[in-house]
Amino acid sequence: MNYEKLAELLFPHVDKTPEDYEAAYPQRNLPEGAKVTRLGPSPTGFIHLGNLYGAFVDERLAHQSGGIFYLRIEDTDDKREVEGAVEAVISSLDYFGVRFDEGTTVDGETGSYGPYHQSSRGDIYRCFAKWLTQQGKAYPCFCTEEEIQTVRDQQESLKENPGYYGKWAKCRDLSYEVIEERVKAGMPFVLRFRSDGDAQRNFEIEDGIRGTLSMPENVQDVVILKQNGIPTYHFAHVVDDHLMRTTHVVRGEEWLSSLPIHVALFNALGWSLPVYCHTTVLMKMEGETKRKLSKRKDPELSLNYYRSLGYHPRAVREYLLTILNSNYEEWRIANPDAPAEEFAFTTEKMSNSGTLFDLDKLNDVSKETLVKMSSEELYDFLCAWAEEYKTELAELFKADREKMIRILSMDRTGPKPRKDLVYCEQIFEYIRYFFDAYYRPEEGFPENVDKGDLLPILKGYLETYSAEDDQETWFGKIRELALSLQYAAKPKDFKKNPDQYKGHVGDVSTVIRVALMGRSNSPDLWEIQQIMGEAQTRSRIEAAMAAL
């Protein structure tokens, strides 16, 4: 077979050589040890937690080594492409603090190693496909779908491994004359990689997360160019990762089975392999067992879940680092106020046996993250969230900035700050009692207080209440009220002599608290009333009295 002649027959219009592209995409001028990583999503419209998980690995590897992190859109399958998906990917990742040094942006592309859309790199792929054909490492296949299915059926009946290889590769050894006749007749064909692998031989490769892997060599003659000339993922990513000078490829463990194909393609093209880092799937507990997070079952897999609820991106990033590196929590305890970027991230500390995602743990991390933020920063974040997801609340929050900041500041300073704020929607639920239009009672009055005492407590409170009182004076009045109604002025007095009292001052203040807020637990009651002001305080208690 004259492979040079075959290559000209199949690719008559390809006039560039691999050397041309090697010169166009030279080795990057980066410091020694700098890593080049990429995120290569398909524009399908759904970006999930696993994408973000992997993107954090990419970003950390690149940026802490002085390297480059770029975005490449792998859009060779136009049937799956969703309009606006690229913008959604960029927006979602940017929200969580994942920013690229080069590649696709909402305004086009930036960087010297593009195009960064695979759909725009057709000439490059065809050049290397032609070169493989010239070397006798690729050949045209004219098999129809029906013929391929017949092969599959035969393999299944004989219990042989499925695929196009060996004796099943009908077009592997066609003569030049037959190929020429079919091409000139306009018969459609795909281009297949001619594998020289042996299923009985294993090769070893160092995975950045899993260590040494031993796998059987690839024997499949996989398709590298489809009938329309568009490359398959296998071929496109190998060519792109080489020319874009990618040093580390972070991807999910579902790609492990394809690794022999990719190694074979790199070897056939004479290129050095990047370091492959295969992450584990994200799992969750269901009863006593773990299972993979599912698009259908688990809304928390979607990144929009966290954006729409209003999780602060810093909290999500902080939590993901705890499951990305096993020593991160220990580092955080030793460095409570240090930026996460100072942590020395490494793939060696990543799990290789399934990563457990725990929403409750994320909520705990979020509480710790938010309590460290200033009330002003939290207010700005709450407003930004409301503008996107709850426009009616945005107007409410912006109507009185000072009041909102006072609300968000309650009990958040001092040696034991309160840690009960998790995400924006929960924060609003927590503070909604401040706003009459959104107020709704959540709890009834305490059962240990006689119903006949409710009205006297509330009426007596209003008779002496003044917003001008300092906290000590205000609580002194509640003590006097408690005593007048046969409640102990101190809990310890009631504990010592329970037969002498109906209850204690805490029971009386709980009645007031429930009347004001509709719940029995809250931050400091005096401070709440100072924020509400006398008019709203009186109005709320009068409404509670009227409902008795």
Side-chain angles (χ1 to χ4, degrees):
M1 172 74 78
N2 185 330
Y3 294 119
E4 200 62 58
K5 189 176 177 183
L6 175 62
E8 288 303 322
L9 173 69
L10 300 182
F11 301 99
H13 303 299
V14 174
D15 55 4
K16 286 197 173 183
T17 67
E19 290 74 23
D20 292 328
Y21 289 112
E22 294 288 348
Y25 302 103
Q27 292 292 336
R28 294 174 180 268
N29 184 21
L30 294 171
E32 186 177 351
K35 297 175 176 63
V36 178
T37 62
R38 48 79 167 172
L39 192 67
S42 300
T44 56
F46 183 79
I47 181 163
H48 56 76
L49 196 64
N51 301 130
L52 183 62
Y53 179 86
F56 277 153
V57 180
D58 283 316
E59 187 269 338
R60 286 290 78 214
L61 289 177
H63 290 162
Q64 72 181 12
S65 66
I68 296 291
F69 176 35
Y70 69 90
L71 177 63
R72 182 174 75 218
I73 302 300
E74 300 186 343
D75 57 348
T76 56
D77 187 352
D78 55 1
K79 292 178 183 176
R80 298 178 63 215
E81 188 166 345
V82 174
E83 187 176 352
V86 173
E87 291 78 8
V89 167
I90 294 170
S91 169
S92 293
L93 293 173
D94 182 71
Y95 177 84
F96 289 102
V98 176
R99 298 186 177 92
F100 301 94
D101 302 301
E102 65 181 50
T104 304
T105 74
V106 291
D107 300 315
E109 294 187 345
T110 179
S112 304
Y113 288 78
Y116 294 93
H117 281 70
Q118 288 186 331
S119 58
S120 301
R121 297 172 64 83
D123 289 344
I124 300 173
Y125 305 130
R126 285 185 283 275
C127 169
F128 287 97
K130 181 176 183 178
W131 185 85
L132 284 174
T133 306
Q134 290 171 326
Q135 309 307 309
K137 296 177 180 180
Y139 64 91
C141 172
F142 301 90
C143 291
T144 63
E145 275 299 314
E146 291 76 15
E147 289 174 308
I148 296 292
Q149 187 58 54
T150 299
V151 168
R152 288 194 196 107
D153 293 341
Q154 291 174 337
Q155 290 170 334
E156 186 176 346
S157 67
L158 296 170
K159 293 184 169 49
E160 295 205 23
N161 291 330
Y164 198 90
Y165 62 93
K167 66 180 181 180
W168 305 104
K170 291 176 56 179
C171 295
R172 183 180 172 104
D173 297 315
L174 293 178
S175 66
Y176 176 82
E177 289 72 24
V178 171
I179 294 172
E180 182 181 39
E181 180 182 346
R182 293 182 180 183
V183 170
K184 288 185 175 179
M187 285 184 66
F189 64 89
V190 299
L191 192 74
R192 289 187 180 273
F193 172 61
R194 188 188 299 274
S195 171
D196 61 0
D198 183 340
Q200 304 306 310
R201 288 199 307 258
N202 276 24
F203 70 95
E204 288 191 348
I205 184 171
E206 287 298 312
D207 186 283
I209 295 172
R210 297 162 187 266
T212 304
L213 300 177
S214 179
M215 310 179 78
E217 291 182 348
N218 170 66
V219 297
Q220 299 281 346
D221 287 4
V222 295
V223 176
I224 56 176
L225 287 185
K226 301 175 217 178
Q227 288 183 357
N228 56 7
I230 293 176
T232 59
Y233 169 80
H234 299 309
F235 188 50
H237 104 271
V238 166
V239 172
D240 291 343
D241 282 339
H242 171 71
L243 291 181
M244 294 179 178
R245 309 304 174 180
T246 311
T247 65
H248 289 67
V249 173
V250 179
R251 60 187 188 181
E253 66 179 24
E254 67 271 16
W255 290 105
L256 276 169
S257 60
S258 301
L259 189 55
I261 296 171
H262 303 155
V263 170
L265 284 168
F266 267 104
N267 290 340
L269 288 158
W271 297 335
S272 298
L273 286 166
V275 177
Y276 282 100
C277 306
H278 290 90
T279 62
T280 57
V281 295
L282 293 176
M283 314 283 284
K284 72 179 292 185
M285 294 301 298
E286 191 165 71
E288 298 298 315
T289 59
K290 292 180 184 178
R291 68 163 175 80
K292 181 181 176 182
L293 279 173
S294 156
K295 280 186 193 180
R296 185 170 55 85
K297 294 182 180 180
D298 304 306
E300 66 267 34
L301 185 61
S302 168
L303 290 188
N304 195 54
Y305 174 85
Y306 305 96
R307 294 187 68 176
S308 62
L309 286 177
Y311 279 90
H312 198 284
R314 202 179 304 159
V316 176
R317 186 182 185 93
E318 184 79 8
Y319 173 67
L320 285 181
L321 281 167
T322 70
I323 61 175
L324 277 166
N325 263 194
S326 57
N327 60 329
Y328 181 77
E329 288 185 83
E330 182 182 336
W331 176 86
R332 174 53 76 199
I333 291 169
N335 303 272
D337 300 316
E341 288 72 22
E342 291 184 8
F343 171 70
F345 176 83
T346 172
T347 55
E348 285 80 3
K349 292 288 186 180
M350 291 180 67
S351 169
N352 58 17
S353 60
T355 301
L356 185 63
F357 179 80
D358 184 345
L359 195 57
D360 290 335
K361 180 69 178 293
L362 167 60
N363 289 341
D364 288 340
V365 170
S366 187
K367 291 175 183 178
E368 294 289 343
T369 302
L370 295 189
V371 81
K372 292 179 180 178
M373 293 171 56
S374 70
S375 299
E376 289 78 9
E377 185 180 0
L378 187 55
Y379 169 76
D380 290 341
F381 178 65
L382 198 62
C383 287
W385 166 78
E387 283 177 346
E388 186 168 0
Y389 294 100
K390 302 276 185 181
T391 51
E392 71 280 7
L393 294 185
E395 295 175 13
L396 186 70
F397 296 159
K398 291 182 177 181
D400 193 334
R401 183 178 188 273
E402 182 183 348
K403 177 180 178 180
M404 277 296 299
I405 289 176
R406 289 181 70 189
I407 292 171
L408 296 173
S409 299
M410 288 189 301
D411 295 353
R412 295 182 71 240
T413 58
K416 291 186 178 180
R418 102 178 188 269
K419 299 176 182 178
D420 42 29
L421 305 183
V422 185
Y423 50 84
C424 291
E425 191 165 288
Q426 179 267 348
I427 291 171
F428 179 67
E429 288 298 317
Y430 194 80
I431 65 173
R432 67 185 301 147
Y433 58 83
F434 279 102
F435 309 100
D436 289 338
Y438 293 90
Y439 168 70
R440 59 166 184 251
E442 297 174 20
E443 297 178 53
F445 292 106
E447 292 182 3
N448 61 318
V449 175
D450 190 289
K451 289 184 179 179
D453 286 339
L454 297 178
L455 195 57
I457 289 173
L458 297 177
K459 185 179 178 182
Y461 181 70
L462 281 186
E463 287 174 354
T464 63
Y465 170 72
S466 170
E468 302 300 319
D469 291 339
D470 60 26
Q471 191 163 11
E472 187 177 346
T473 303
W474 164 80
F475 194 63
K477 289 180 178 181
I478 295 179
R479 278 203 175 105
E480 290 175 13
L481 175 63
L483 284 170
S484 72
L485 295 171
Q486 294 182 284
Y487 288 80
K490 297 179 182 179
K492 65 180 182 180
D493 294 341
F494 174 67
K495 192 173 181 180
K496 286 179 182 178
N497 301 290
D499 296 334
Q500 292 183 19
Y501 302 102
K502 297 177 181 178
H504 57 77
V505 67
D507 300 320
V508 173
S509 62
T510 298
V511 170
I512 300 166
R513 191 185 302 273
V514 171
L516 269 173
M517 303 163 51
R519 62 181 73 153
S520 58
N521 289 304
S522 75
D524 184 83
L525 183 57
W526 177 80
E527 188 174 0
I528 289 170
Q529 292 172 119
Q530 294 303 107
I531 295 171
M532 283 185 169
E534 185 158 352
Q536 188 180 21
T537 298
R538 288 187 176 277
S539 172
R540 188 70 60 82
I541 292 179
E542 286 167 357
M545 291 167 60
L548 288 173

